């Protein structure tokens, strides 16, 4: 590598705070650090202890990686202002966590949520400022095997992000959009900048929530739940409800939106499952309220009937509440 190439690499080096070092946070942070970016993980409990003592282990279809040493803390106040805050905690944790992230955010800091659901960016903007928070989402099949140990089983991670609908037209934080896209690509990840992040967010929600909720209720994998006619019909009805709720809040869906989701469902690994399903089946805290609960809640607010989701919510709520203690 020439001196010019080295200087260019240093110039493009970003300081990134990865909030949450579980599944998606682990794989994104690991790859960004591997590429030479300055990454600090904001974590707690057993995950923080593992990162501080053993580092991070990533088993991945894109190549295994062990990072014996990573920066990790439970106190954002010790980190200072960063270029990008990547919020990777569960959607149900965003509201309570958001105020603690203020020390990370300067005038030009971009805050990007990548969890499931459609409400995280609003919650972050309320706590951290309209001009700093972007819309974002991640697409990848990944799970936390143990604290500090991540298993990435399918799909090279795709991160879509951009300006939020209704956000200020101008912001210093928007300069981070092309820089972070380049950083992701330098790490072997896929960065996409959709023209309409609102549609992109709801398209992911349309994909992830119905099969996750029905799979959790049926307690079977993708291959089974999509092949049994009765459960396949239930997923299809749930898809139509999410489409209708999205339409009520202004989403302009492609005419083939549901057909495209079914094509993706039918290509998923037969033994796979969503994080929502895995968490509920293991009686762990989950994104239930931010996914199935959100469909019911937003549907009621806009007068959209959601009978399938009403039933799924009632069936799964006791397990979700038990997991939350």
């Amino acid at each position: 590598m020439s001196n010019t190439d080295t200087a260019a690499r240093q110039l493009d080096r970003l300081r990134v705070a990865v909030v949450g070092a579980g599944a998606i946070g682990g794989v994104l942070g690991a790859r960004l650090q591997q590429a030479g970016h300055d990454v600090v993980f904001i974590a707690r409990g057993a995950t923080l202890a593992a990162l501080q003592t053993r580092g991070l282990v990533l088993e991945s279809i894109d190549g295994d990686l062990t990072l014996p040493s990573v920066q990790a803390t439970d106190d954002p106040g010790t980190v200072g202002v960063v270029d990008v805050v990547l919020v990777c905690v569960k959607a149900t944790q965003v509201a309570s966590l958001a105020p603690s992230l203020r020390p990370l955010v300067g005038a030009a800091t971009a805050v990007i949520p990548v969890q499931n659901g459609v409400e995280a960016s609003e919650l972050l903007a309320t706590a951290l400022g309209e001009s700093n928070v972007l819309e974002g989402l991640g697409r990848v099949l990944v799970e936390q095997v143990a604290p500090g140990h991540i298993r990435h089983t399918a799909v090279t991670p795709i991160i879509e992000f951009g300006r939020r609908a209704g956000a200020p037209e101008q912001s210093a934080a928007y300069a981070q959009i092309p820089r972070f896209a380049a950083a992701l690509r330098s790490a072997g990840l896929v960065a996409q900048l959709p023209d309409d992040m609102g549609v992109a967010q709801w398209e992911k929600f349309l994909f992830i929530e119905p099969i996750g909720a029905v799979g959790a209720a049926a307690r079977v994998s993708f291959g089974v739940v999509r092949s049994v006619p009765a459960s396949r019909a239930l997923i299809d009805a749930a898809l139509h409800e999410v489409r209708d709720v999205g339409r009520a809040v202004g989403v302009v869906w492609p005419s083939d939106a549901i057909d495209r989701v079914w094509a993706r469902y039918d290509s998923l690994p037969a033994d796979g499952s969503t994080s929502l399903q895995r968490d509920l089946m293991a009686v762990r805290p989950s994104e239930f309220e931010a996914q199935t609960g959100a469909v019911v809640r937003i549907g009621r607010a806009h007068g959209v009937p959601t009978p399938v989701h009403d039933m799924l919510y009632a069936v799964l709520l006791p397990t979700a509440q038990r997991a939350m203690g």
Side-chain angles (χ1 to χ4, degrees):
M1 180 179 290
S2 70
N3 290 337
T4 300
D5 290 339
T6 301
R9 181 180 177 86
Q10 290 173 342
L11 182 65
D12 293 333
R13 189 169 186 252
L14 291 188
R15 192 158 192 249
V16 181
V18 177
V19 183
I24 191 167
V27 69
L28 296 180
R31 292 303 185 196
L32 286 166
Q33 179 170 326
Q34 181 187 30
H37 298 283
D38 183 6
V39 176
V40 57
F41 292 95
I42 310 298
R44 61 185 182 182
T47 297
L48 176 63
L51 294 177
Q52 291 178 329
T53 57
R54 300 190 299 274
L56 192 152
V57 174
L58 173 64
E59 298 176 46
S60 172
I61 58 165
D62 294 328
D64 294 345
L65 173 65
T66 297
L67 297 173
S69 177
V70 299
Q71 298 181 75
T73 180
D74 60 358
D75 182 4
T78 65
V79 177
V81 171
V82 298
D83 297 307
V84 174
V85 179
L86 203 54
V87 183
C88 304
V89 297
K90 291 185 182 298
T92 47
Q93 297 174 302
V94 171
S96 60
L97 178 77
S100 72
L101 304 181
R102 288 174 187 148
L104 302 170
V105 181
T109 301
V111 180
I112 305 173
V114 295
Q115 51 280 116
N116 300 315
V118 291
E119 300 166 304
S121 67
E122 270 187 52
L123 296 170
L124 288 166
T126 298
L128 303 175
E130 294 281 346
S131 62
N132 287 99
V133 179
L134 306 180
E135 192 69 80
L137 61 90
R139 302 182 192 274
V140 62
L141 288 180
V142 63
E143 61 181 316
Q144 185 180 47
V145 179
H149 185 175
I150 310 302
R151 182 174 295 143
H152 167 211
T153 56
V155 185
T156 294
I158 301 168
I159 306 301
E160 300 182 38
F161 62 103
R163 188 171 72 88
R164 295 171 51 245
E169 290 291 335
Q170 301 294 328
S171 168
Y174 299 163
Q176 304 297 354
I177 294 175
R179 293 188 70 213
F180 190 55
L184 290 169
R185 291 165 185 151
S186 76
L189 308 171
V190 179
Q192 296 180 352
L193 307 176
D195 292 333
D196 189 330
M197 275 303 306
V199 172
Q201 194 76 35
W202 275 89
E203 284 182 332
K204 182 193 175 182
F205 193 60
L206 182 69
F207 168 71
I208 200 74
E209 192 279 334
I211 200 168
V214 176
R219 303 183 69 82
V220 294
S221 66
F222 292 147
V224 178
V225 77
R226 71 190 177 205
S227 62
V228 174
S231 54
R232 189 177 180 94
L234 194 63
I235 294 169
D236 194 64
L239 281 165
H240 281 80
E241 288 184 358
V242 174
R243 183 200 61 186
D244 293 346
V245 170
R247 184 177 289 154
V249 300
V251 178
V252 180
W253 295 104
S255 60
D256 62 344
I258 290 177
D259 291 338
R260 285 160 57 182
V261 170
W262 270 117
R264 293 179 66 193
Y265 282 170
D266 287 331
S267 70
L268 291 171
D271 61 350
S273 57
T274 70
S275 59
L276 173 66
Q277 177 179 344
R278 291 192 298 272
D279 286 340
L280 286 170
M281 289 177 64
V283 197
R284 295 189 297 255
S286 71
E287 294 183 329
F288 176 68
E289 286 294 346
Q291 291 195 43
T292 306
V295 178
V296 173
R297 185 170 59 252
I298 299 171
R300 287 178 181 169
H302 291 270
V304 178
T306 57
V308 170
H309 280 88
D310 292 347
M311 178 272 296
L312 290 169
Y313 186 83
V315 167
L316 295 170
L317 182 60
T319 299
Q321 289 184 335
R322 180 184 169 200
M324 298 301 291

